Amino acid sequence: MTQIKNIGLFTSGGDAPGMNAAIRAVVRSAIYYGLNVTGIRRGYEGMITGDIFAMNIKSVSNIIQRGGTILKTARCEQFRTPAGRKTAFENLKKHNIDALVAIGGDGTFTGARIFADEFDFPIVGLPGTIDNDLCGTDFTIGYDTAINTVIDAVDKIRDTAESHNRLFIVEVMGRDSGLIALRTGIAAGAETILIPESKTDINAVFERLENGRKDKTSKIIMLAENGIAGDAFEVGRQIKERFPHYDTRVSILGHIQRGGAPSCMDRVLASRVGVAAVEALMAGRRNEMIGLIHNEIAYTPFELAIKHNTDINPDFLKIVEILAI
Ligand code: ATP
Protein backbone atom coordinates (compact mmCIF):
# COMPACT_ATOMS: atom_id res chain seq x y z
CA MET A 1 0.00 0.00 0.00
CA THR A 2 1.51 3.35 -1.01
CA GLN A 3 1.53 6.08 1.61
CA ILE A 4 -0.83 8.96 0.81
CA LYS A 5 0.82 12.39 0.92
CA ASN A 6 -1.51 14.83 -0.80
CA ILE A 7 -5.31 14.72 -0.66
CA GLY A 8 -7.34 16.47 -3.35
CA LEU A 9 -10.65 17.84 -2.04
CA PHE A 10 -13.76 18.97 -3.93
CA THR A 11 -17.51 19.55 -3.63
CA SER A 12 -19.80 18.50 -6.46
CA GLY A 13 -23.46 18.38 -7.50
CA GLY A 14 -26.04 20.40 -5.57
CA ASP A 15 -24.64 22.48 -2.71
CA ALA A 16 -25.71 21.79 0.86
CA PRO A 17 -25.26 23.68 4.14
CA GLY A 18 -22.45 22.02 6.09
CA MET A 19 -20.21 21.41 3.08
CA ASN A 20 -17.88 24.12 4.44
CA ALA A 21 -17.73 22.41 7.81
CA ALA A 22 -16.77 19.20 6.00
CA ILE A 23 -14.08 21.01 3.96
CA ARG A 24 -12.66 22.47 7.16
CA ALA A 25 -12.63 19.07 8.86
CA VAL A 26 -10.80 17.39 5.98
CA VAL A 27 -8.21 20.18 5.63
CA ARG A 28 -7.53 20.50 9.35
CA SER A 29 -7.35 16.76 10.04
CA ALA A 30 -5.11 16.12 7.04
CA ILE A 31 -2.71 18.81 8.26
CA TYR A 32 -2.94 17.42 11.79
CA TYR A 33 -1.77 14.05 10.45
CA GLY A 34 1.05 15.63 8.42
CA LEU A 35 -0.57 15.42 4.96
CA ASN A 36 -0.99 18.10 2.30
CA VAL A 37 -4.40 19.15 0.99
CA THR A 38 -5.11 20.52 -2.45
CA GLY A 39 -8.43 22.18 -3.23
CA ILE A 40 -10.25 21.66 -6.53
CA ARG A 41 -12.82 24.31 -7.45
CA ARG A 42 -16.20 23.49 -9.04
CA GLY A 43 -15.98 19.73 -8.64
CA TYR A 44 -15.11 17.63 -11.66
CA GLU A 45 -15.10 20.71 -13.85
CA GLY A 46 -12.14 22.20 -11.97
CA MET A 47 -10.40 18.85 -12.14
CA ILE A 48 -10.64 19.00 -15.93
CA THR A 49 -9.82 22.71 -16.36
CA GLY A 50 -7.05 22.58 -13.74
CA ASP A 51 -8.62 24.98 -11.22
CA ILE A 52 -6.51 23.48 -8.45
CA PHE A 53 -4.73 25.19 -5.53
CA ALA A 54 -2.85 24.36 -2.32
CA MET A 55 -4.83 24.71 0.90
CA ASN A 56 -3.57 25.43 4.41
CA ILE A 57 -4.95 25.82 7.92
CA LYS A 58 -6.01 29.40 7.21
CA SER A 59 -7.84 28.51 3.97
CA VAL A 60 -10.63 27.16 6.15
CA SER A 61 -10.69 29.78 8.91
CA ASN A 62 -14.09 31.15 9.82
CA ILE A 63 -16.11 28.95 7.45
CA ILE A 64 -17.71 26.35 9.74
CA GLN A 65 -20.79 28.55 10.16
CA ARG A 66 -21.18 29.50 6.49
CA GLY A 67 -23.66 27.95 4.05
CA GLY A 68 -22.68 27.07 0.46
CA THR A 69 -19.20 25.81 -0.37
CA ILE A 70 -16.00 27.84 -0.58
CA LEU A 71 -14.75 25.33 -3.16
CA LYS A 72 -17.80 26.09 -5.35
CA THR A 73 -19.68 23.32 -7.05
CA ALA A 74 -20.83 22.39 -10.53
CA ARG A 75 -22.41 19.73 -12.67
CA CYS A 76 -19.92 18.63 -15.31
CA GLU A 77 -20.96 16.79 -18.49
CA GLN A 78 -17.37 16.31 -19.69
CA PHE A 79 -16.54 14.09 -16.72
CA ARG A 80 -19.07 11.58 -18.05
CA THR A 81 -16.73 10.94 -21.01
CA PRO A 82 -13.50 8.85 -20.89
CA ALA A 83 -11.60 11.76 -22.47
CA GLY A 84 -12.79 14.17 -19.77
CA ARG A 85 -11.79 11.79 -16.99
CA LYS A 86 -8.36 11.24 -18.57
CA THR A 87 -7.72 14.98 -18.57
CA ALA A 88 -8.84 15.10 -14.93
CA PHE A 89 -6.42 12.29 -14.04
CA GLU A 90 -3.53 14.04 -15.78
CA ASN A 91 -4.25 17.24 -13.86
CA LEU A 92 -4.31 15.40 -10.54
CA LYS A 93 -0.94 13.83 -11.35
CA LYS A 94 0.45 17.24 -12.35
CA HIS A 95 -0.43 18.53 -8.87
CA ASN A 96 0.90 15.38 -7.14
CA ILE A 97 -2.54 14.53 -5.78
CA ASP A 98 -2.56 10.88 -4.77
CA ALA A 99 -6.03 10.51 -3.19
CA LEU A 100 -9.40 12.32 -3.30
CA VAL A 101 -12.15 13.25 -0.88
CA ALA A 102 -15.39 13.91 -2.79
CA ILE A 103 -18.24 15.75 -1.06
CA GLY A 104 -21.53 15.35 -2.90
CA GLY A 105 -24.50 13.14 -3.71
CA ASP A 106 -25.21 10.02 -5.72
CA GLY A 107 -24.09 11.50 -9.08
CA THR A 108 -20.79 12.58 -7.56
CA PHE A 109 -20.17 9.09 -6.17
CA THR A 110 -21.17 7.45 -9.46
CA GLY A 111 -18.48 9.52 -11.20
CA ALA A 112 -16.01 8.81 -8.38
CA ARG A 113 -16.54 5.05 -8.63
CA ILE A 114 -15.96 5.03 -12.40
CA PHE A 115 -12.86 7.22 -12.07
CA ALA A 116 -11.43 5.12 -9.20
CA ASP A 117 -11.85 1.94 -11.28
CA GLU A 118 -10.36 3.43 -14.44
CA PHE A 119 -7.24 4.86 -12.83
CA ASP A 120 -6.93 2.75 -9.66
CA PHE A 121 -7.24 5.99 -7.68
CA PRO A 122 -8.03 6.09 -3.92
CA ILE A 123 -11.24 8.04 -3.29
CA VAL A 124 -13.56 8.33 -0.32
CA GLY A 125 -16.82 10.30 -0.28
CA LEU A 126 -18.74 12.40 2.22
CA PRO A 127 -22.54 12.56 1.90
CA GLY A 128 -23.27 16.19 1.05
CA THR A 129 -26.85 16.70 -0.13
CA ILE A 130 -30.00 18.22 1.37
CA ASP A 131 -32.06 15.31 0.01
CA ASN A 132 -30.96 12.64 2.55
CA ASP A 133 -31.33 10.07 -0.22
CA LEU A 134 -28.08 8.09 0.17
CA CYS A 135 -27.75 4.64 1.67
CA GLY A 136 -25.08 4.16 4.33
CA THR A 137 -25.81 7.13 6.54
CA ASP A 138 -28.76 8.00 8.75
CA PHE A 139 -28.52 11.63 7.64
CA THR A 140 -26.66 13.49 4.93
CA ILE A 141 -24.82 16.77 5.49
CA GLY A 142 -27.30 19.59 4.81
CA TYR A 143 -30.54 17.71 5.46
CA ASP A 144 -31.01 18.91 9.04
CA THR A 145 -30.44 22.54 8.08
CA ALA A 146 -32.77 22.27 5.08
CA ILE A 147 -35.64 20.79 7.08
CA ASN A 148 -35.25 23.49 9.72
CA THR A 149 -35.35 26.15 7.00
CA VAL A 150 -38.55 24.58 5.68
CA ILE A 151 -40.15 24.54 9.12
CA ASP A 152 -39.24 28.16 9.70
CA ALA A 153 -40.90 29.11 6.40
CA VAL A 154 -44.00 26.95 6.90
CA ASP A 155 -44.55 28.39 10.40
CA LYS A 156 -44.74 31.81 8.75
CA ILE A 157 -47.08 30.50 6.07
CA ARG A 158 -49.25 29.01 8.82
CA ASP A 159 -49.68 32.45 10.43
CA THR A 160 -51.11 33.96 7.28
CA ALA A 161 -53.09 30.80 6.41
CA GLU A 162 -54.71 30.93 9.84
CA SER A 163 -55.58 34.62 9.55
CA HIS A 164 -57.31 34.15 6.19
CA ASN A 165 -58.72 30.64 6.70
CA ARG A 166 -56.66 29.36 3.79
CA LEU A 167 -55.42 26.04 2.53
CA PHE A 168 -51.77 26.14 1.45
CA ILE A 169 -50.01 23.68 -0.80
CA VAL A 170 -46.31 23.93 0.07
CA GLU A 171 -43.80 22.44 -2.36
CA VAL A 172 -40.36 21.49 -1.06
CA MET A 173 -37.19 20.15 -2.70
CA GLY A 174 -36.20 16.54 -3.22
CA ARG A 175 -35.91 15.68 -6.90
CA ASP A 176 -36.57 11.98 -6.47
CA SER A 177 -36.97 11.79 -2.75
CA GLY A 178 -39.76 12.79 -0.38
CA LEU A 179 -37.65 12.78 2.77
CA ILE A 180 -37.70 16.57 3.18
CA ALA A 181 -41.49 16.64 2.73
CA LEU A 182 -42.02 13.69 5.04
CA ARG A 183 -40.26 15.04 8.11
CA THR A 184 -41.29 18.67 7.65
CA GLY A 185 -44.89 17.60 7.01
CA ILE A 186 -44.99 16.00 10.44
CA ALA A 187 -43.26 18.94 12.09
CA ALA A 188 -45.54 21.50 10.42
CA GLY A 189 -48.73 19.63 11.32
CA ALA A 190 -49.67 19.02 7.67
CA GLU A 191 -53.03 17.54 6.71
CA THR A 192 -51.35 15.22 4.28
CA ILE A 193 -48.03 14.67 2.53
CA LEU A 194 -47.52 13.90 -1.15
CA ILE A 195 -44.23 12.12 -1.78
CA PRO A 196 -43.05 9.92 -4.66
CA GLU A 197 -42.24 6.96 -2.39
CA SER A 198 -45.72 6.54 -0.94
CA LYS A 199 -47.47 6.62 -4.34
CA THR A 200 -50.21 8.75 -2.75
CA ASP A 201 -52.37 10.17 -5.50
CA ILE A 202 -54.67 13.16 -5.52
CA ASN A 203 -57.69 11.02 -4.56
CA ALA A 204 -56.13 10.33 -1.18
CA VAL A 205 -55.84 14.08 -0.67
CA PHE A 206 -59.50 14.56 -1.65
CA GLU A 207 -60.51 11.86 0.80
CA ARG A 208 -58.56 13.47 3.62
CA LEU A 209 -60.16 16.85 2.93
CA GLU A 210 -63.62 15.32 2.52
CA ASN A 211 -63.48 13.42 5.78
CA GLY A 212 -61.42 15.89 7.80
CA ARG A 213 -62.76 18.24 10.44
CA LYS A 214 -64.70 21.10 8.92
CA ASP A 215 -63.93 23.65 11.63
CA LYS A 216 -60.18 23.86 10.93
CA THR A 217 -59.14 27.40 10.16
CA SER A 218 -56.00 26.57 8.18
CA LYS A 219 -54.63 23.58 6.34
CA ILE A 220 -51.18 22.75 4.99
CA ILE A 221 -50.53 20.12 2.34
CA MET A 222 -46.87 19.23 1.97
CA LEU A 223 -45.65 18.19 -1.45
CA ALA A 224 -42.29 16.96 -2.76
CA GLU A 225 -41.31 18.32 -6.17
CA ASN A 226 -41.79 15.88 -9.07
CA GLY A 227 -44.63 14.20 -7.21
CA ILE A 228 -46.92 11.78 -9.02
CA ALA A 229 -49.93 14.04 -8.45
CA GLY A 230 -48.25 16.84 -10.46
CA ASP A 231 -46.64 20.05 -9.25
CA ALA A 232 -48.04 22.28 -6.53
CA PHE A 233 -50.05 24.43 -8.97
CA GLU A 234 -51.65 21.35 -10.51
CA VAL A 235 -52.54 19.97 -7.08
CA GLY A 236 -53.94 23.38 -6.12
CA ARG A 237 -56.02 23.52 -9.30
CA GLN A 238 -57.49 20.08 -8.70
CA ILE A 239 -58.34 20.84 -5.08
CA LYS A 240 -60.01 24.10 -6.07
CA GLU A 241 -62.04 22.31 -8.74
CA ARG A 242 -63.25 19.70 -6.27
CA PHE A 243 -63.65 22.00 -3.25
CA PRO A 244 -64.47 25.47 -4.63
CA HIS A 245 -65.13 26.83 -1.13
CA TYR A 246 -61.47 26.45 -0.12
CA ASP A 247 -59.37 29.57 -0.42
CA THR A 248 -56.24 27.83 -1.74
CA ARG A 249 -52.73 29.20 -2.23
CA VAL A 250 -49.50 27.66 -3.47
CA SER A 251 -46.06 28.31 -2.02
CA ILE A 252 -42.92 26.88 -3.62
CA LEU A 253 -40.05 27.27 -1.18
CA GLY A 254 -37.30 26.75 -3.78
CA HIS A 255 -33.64 27.57 -3.26
CA ILE A 256 -33.91 29.05 0.22
CA GLN A 257 -33.79 25.39 1.26
CA ARG A 258 -30.18 25.13 0.09
CA GLY A 259 -28.82 28.18 1.87
CA GLY A 260 -28.17 29.49 5.33
CA ALA A 261 -25.90 28.73 8.24
CA PRO A 262 -25.63 24.98 8.87
CA SER A 263 -27.35 23.67 11.99
CA CYS A 264 -25.36 22.33 14.91
CA MET A 265 -26.27 18.77 13.85
CA ASP A 266 -24.92 19.33 10.32
CA ARG A 267 -21.70 20.91 11.59
CA VAL A 268 -21.04 18.02 13.95
CA LEU A 269 -21.90 15.41 11.30
CA ALA A 270 -19.62 17.14 8.76
CA SER A 271 -16.79 17.41 11.29
CA ARG A 272 -17.02 13.76 12.30
CA VAL A 273 -17.16 12.29 8.80
CA GLY A 274 -14.53 14.77 7.56
CA VAL A 275 -11.98 13.59 10.10
CA ALA A 276 -12.99 9.96 9.47
CA ALA A 277 -12.40 10.44 5.72
CA VAL A 278 -8.77 11.39 6.21
CA GLU A 279 -8.23 8.58 8.70
CA ALA A 280 -9.88 6.13 6.29
CA LEU A 281 -7.56 7.08 3.42
CA MET A 282 -4.54 6.79 5.72
CA ALA A 283 -5.74 3.31 6.74
CA GLY A 284 -5.91 2.25 3.08
CA ARG A 285 -9.70 2.42 2.69
CA ARG A 286 -11.04 3.51 -0.69
CA ASN A 287 -14.16 3.59 -2.87
CA GLU A 288 -16.38 4.11 0.13
CA MET A 289 -18.76 6.74 1.42
CA ILE A 290 -18.32 7.65 5.03
CA GLY A 291 -21.48 8.26 6.99
CA LEU A 292 -22.98 7.82 10.42
CA ILE A 293 -25.25 4.92 11.27
CA HIS A 294 -26.66 4.82 14.81
CA ASN A 295 -24.20 7.56 15.71
CA GLU A 296 -21.16 5.48 14.68
CA ILE A 297 -18.89 6.03 11.68
CA ALA A 298 -19.96 3.68 8.86
CA TYR A 299 -18.18 2.81 5.59
CA THR A 300 -20.36 1.97 2.59
CA PRO A 301 -19.02 1.08 -0.89
CA PHE A 302 -19.98 3.71 -3.46
CA GLU A 303 -22.06 1.23 -5.46
CA LEU A 304 -24.28 0.63 -2.42
CA ALA A 305 -24.35 4.22 -1.19
CA ILE A 306 -25.80 5.46 -4.48
CA LYS A 307 -28.72 3.07 -4.42
CA HIS A 308 -31.57 5.48 -4.02
CA ASN A 309 -33.08 4.95 -0.62
CA THR A 310 -36.83 4.66 -1.15
CA ASP A 311 -37.59 2.96 2.14
CA ILE A 312 -40.06 5.23 3.84
CA ASN A 313 -40.89 4.37 7.40
CA PRO A 314 -44.66 3.68 7.18
CA ASP A 315 -45.02 4.87 10.78
CA PHE A 316 -44.27 8.40 9.59
CA LEU A 317 -47.25 8.47 7.22
CA LYS A 318 -49.46 6.89 9.85
CA ILE A 319 -48.42 9.58 12.32
CA VAL A 320 -49.50 12.28 9.86
CA GLU A 321 -52.88 10.59 9.47
CA ILE A 322 -53.40 10.18 13.21
CA LEU A 323 -52.37 13.71 14.09
CA ALA A 324 -54.32 15.43 11.32
CA ILE A 325 -57.73 14.59 12.76
P1 ATP B 1 -27.30 16.17 -5.62
O1 ATP B 1 -27.83 14.90 -5.00
O2 ATP B 1 -27.28 17.29 -4.66
O3 ATP B 1 -27.94 16.51 -6.92
P2 ATP B 1 -25.18 14.86 -7.00
O4 ATP B 1 -23.77 14.55 -6.63
O5 ATP B 1 -26.10 13.69 -7.16
O6 ATP B 1 -25.74 15.90 -5.96
P3 ATP B 1 -25.19 15.25 -9.88
O7 ATP B 1 -25.36 16.48 -10.69
O8 ATP B 1 -26.14 14.13 -10.11
O9 ATP B 1 -25.18 15.72 -8.36
O10 ATP B 1 -23.71 14.68 -10.14
C1 ATP B 1 -22.57 15.53 -9.97
C2 ATP B 1 -21.60 15.27 -11.08
O11 ATP B 1 -21.10 13.93 -10.99
C3 ATP B 1 -22.15 15.37 -12.50
O12 ATP B 1 -22.28 16.69 -12.94
C4 ATP B 1 -21.07 14.61 -13.28
O13 ATP B 1 -19.94 15.43 -13.50
C5 ATP B 1 -20.68 13.51 -12.29
N1 ATP B 1 -21.39 12.27 -12.68
C6 ATP B 1 -22.65 11.92 -12.42
N2 ATP B 1 -22.98 10.74 -13.00
C7 ATP B 1 -21.86 10.34 -13.65
C8 ATP B 1 -21.52 9.20 -14.46
N3 ATP B 1 -22.41 8.24 -14.72
N4 ATP B 1 -20.26 9.14 -14.98
C9 ATP B 1 -19.36 10.09 -14.72
N5 ATP B 1 -19.62 11.18 -13.99
C10 ATP B 1 -20.83 11.32 -13.45
Side-chain angles (χ1 to χ4, degrees), residues 2-319:
T2 50
Q3 186 96 30
I4 285 164
K5 296 194 193 71
N6 183 10
I7 295 176
L9 173 62
F10 65 97
T11 49
S12 162
D15 66 330
M19 280 184 163
N20 280 329
I23 292 168
R24 171 181 179 269
V26 172
V27 171
R28 292 262 162 107
S29 55
I31 293 170
Y32 176 88
Y33 287 119
L35 307 179
N36 293 322
V37 192
T38 302
I40 301 160
R41 289 193 193 90
R42 298 176 60 75
Y44 295 123
E45 197 175 292
M47 221 179 274
I48 290 171
T49 59
D51 196 353
I52 296 171
F53 65 104
M55 298 186 84
N56 57 39
I57 294 180
K58 281 174 70 180
S59 324
V60 292
S61 290
N62 202 26
I63 65 166
I64 193 169
Q65 77 281 18
R66 282 169 56 191
T69 158
I70 60 160
L71 289 178
K72 311 277 184 178
T73 186
R75 303 195 197 269
C76 172
E77 284 310 307
Q78 240 188 308
F79 196 77
R80 294 175 189 270
T81 67
R85 292 193 293 272
K86 187 159 180 294
T87 307
F89 176 69
E90 282 159 5
N91 276 329
L92 296 183
K93 282 283 131 203
K94 202 155 78 187
H95 288 85
N96 297 317
I97 293 171
D98 45 24
L100 286 170
V101 175
I103 307 172
D106 53 352
T108 300
F109 299 152
T110 303
R113 194 180 60 76
I114 294 168
F115 185 83
D117 283 351
E118 269 174 356
F119 299 101
D120 190 24
F121 209 89
I123 311 183
V124 295
L126 300 183
T129 166
I130 62 167
D131 296 341
N132 204 34
D133 60 349
L134 292 165
C135 292
T137 191
D138 289 339
F139 298 107
T140 55
I141 299 165
Y143 177 65
D144 184 64
T145 306
I147 57 180
N148 280 298
T149 300
V150 169
I151 283 306
D152 186 50
V154 179
D155 286 350
K156 290 175 173 129
I157 288 170
R158 176 72 82 175
D159 287 346
T160 172
E162 187 71 21
S163 305
H164 286 271
N165 287 6
R166 280 180 177 151
L167 179 151
F168 266 83
I169 297 118
V170 180
E171 185 179 299
V172 297
M173 278 187 170
R175 266 187 307 174
D176 311 301
S177 161
L179 292 171
I180 293 180
L182 186 65
R183 245 169 234 273
T184 57
I186 292 175
E191 294 302 309
T192 187
I193 299 174
L194 282 165
I195 53 173
E197 295 89 339
S198 74
K199 312 263 183 292
T200 312
D201 67 6
I202 193 72
N203 291 313
V205 178
F206 290 164
E207 208 174 298
R208 192 69 61 82
L209 294 175
E210 194 86 58
N211 301 328
R213 238 173 50 224
K214 302 288 178 280
D215 60 348
K216 282 194 180 180
T217 45
S218 66
K219 288 180 198 280
I220 303 280
I221 292 175
M222 223 55 194
L223 174 89
E225 61 182 332
N226 287 346
I228 54 167
D231 68 12
F233 287 105
E234 175 56 20
V235 170
R237 191 191 62 73
Q238 292 189 47
I239 289 175
K240 189 73 190 163
E241 201 173 272
R242 178 76 176 257
F243 304 95
H245 63 284
Y246 276 128
D247 190 6
T248 60
R249 291 289 186 277
V250 167
S251 190
I252 296 173
L253 298 189
H255 284 80
I256 61 163
Q257 293 164 87
R258 288 199 178 281
S263 67
C264 179
M265 293 298 275
D266 274 331
R267 294 181 205 192
V268 174
L269 169 63
S271 300
R272 288 185 71 186
V273 294
V275 172
V278 172
E279 292 175 344
L281 283 174
M282 290 169 64
R285 304 194 78 109
R286 49 188 64 196
N287 282 336
E288 291 174 324
M289 185 197 81
I290 297 170
L292 277 191
I293 297 178
H294 298 142
N295 208 24
E296 298 283 345
I297 294 293
Y299 309 89
T300 305
F302 283 142
E303 65 265 31
L304 298 180
I306 59 182
K307 292 220 175 324
H308 182 204
N309 187 358
T310 52
D311 295 341
I312 289 290
N313 184 343
D315 293 353
F316 277 46
L317 292 169
K318 186 71 187 167
I319 286 167

